[in-house]
Amino acid sequence: MRLVIARCSVDYAGRLTAHLPSAPRLILVKADGSVSIHADDRAYKPLNWMSPPCTLKEGTGDDEGVWTVVNKGGEKLIITMEEILHDSSHELGVDPGLIKDGVEAHLQELLADRIETLGEGYSLIRREYMTAIGPVDILCRDADGQTVAVEIKRRGEIDGVEQLTRYLELLNRDPHLAPVKGIFAAQEIKPQARVLATDRGIGCTVLDYNAMRGIEDDKLRLF
């Protein structure tokens, strides 16, 4: 990972246009090729970013100090450096991934055992399918034989959709697996996460933890 703190301005040119005026900012260039620009607020959320796969070109000559990041869709992120205050690179290695809490771990185990919950004809390939950026919770096949990557959460929020998106980008580079589609599975899925998942072609499944454990709902029902 490369960390650059610089006074810079940023211009995005793509489906929309956006401009960040000159100010000190943190620029992260990750091993997966992603580039993100951060201010000293907004918690973990960047001001602007470019997701992989993309390429970073640092200008020379008359364009020295200008970074141009281009993704596969031709969108551009142009970073104009005025003063670099810090520039360092660090090798982080392969991350072991997030250790899930007991409920999420049990949901993964239950869903792997009852993979037909996702649909008739589904079959399990394996749990914890390892990628370069961490393990996919479940890798399976649907009734048509297409590979499906499943990310499981207790509460389904936007971060989980982003995580699954990164897994799908990697898995779809493997000709033995591609095309790979995604399913975001959780006990509760927030509306914003559902909208983002749908926009990216990712399916959503709400998991009933008690039903998967074989426990009857104790609420009164009329039949």
Side-chain angles (χ1 to χ4, degrees), residues 53-189:
C54 57
T55 58
L56 167 62
K57 180 181 179 182
E58 298 185 40
T60 58
D62 293 340
D63 291 328
E64 186 175 2
V66 178
W67 290 14
T68 303
V69 187
V70 184
N71 68 10
K72 62 181 180 181
E75 297 169 306
K76 293 183 179 180
L77 196 63
I78 301 170
I79 307 169
T80 303
M81 306 289 189
E82 298 172 13
E83 180 184 8
I84 294 180
L85 306 172
H86 175 86
D87 188 347
S88 64
S89 297
H90 308 270
E91 181 60 52
L92 302 184
V94 177
D95 191 88
L98 180 68
I99 298 175
K100 295 181 176 292
D101 66 23
V103 172
E104 287 187 10
H106 198 202
L107 278 171
Q108 182 192 115
E109 181 181 346
L110 288 169
L111 187 57
D113 190 51
R114 298 165 176 79
I115 198 68
E116 68 279 357
T117 301
L118 299 176
E120 186 177 351
Y122 272 72
S123 59
L124 179 69
I125 297 176
R126 67 167 297 170
R127 292 171 53 195
E128 299 286 337
Y129 184 90
M130 185 56 67
T131 74
I133 58 173
V136 177
D137 287 335
I138 289 178
L139 199 69
C140 57
R141 288 191 177 90
D142 65 14
D144 298 321
Q146 183 175 355
T147 309
V148 182
V150 185
E151 179 63 26
I152 300 170
K153 300 292 184 187
R154 183 169 57 180
R155 287 166 55 96
E157 303 191 55
I158 285 176
D159 287 353
V161 179
E162 295 285 7
Q163 184 180 357
L164 180 54
T165 299
R166 293 192 292 271
Y167 288 145
L168 290 171
E169 287 174 348
L170 282 177
L171 293 170
N172 273 301
R173 297 178 195 174
D174 186 338
H176 299 292
L177 298 175
V180 183
K181 66 181 182 181
I183 293 179
F184 189 49
Q187 288 179 275
E188 174 193 2
I189 299 177

Side-chain angles (χ1 to χ4, degrees), residues 216-217 219-223:
E216 288 290 337
D217 190 343
K219 294 179 181 178
L220 293 176
R221 292 177 292 180
L222 295 176
F223 295 92

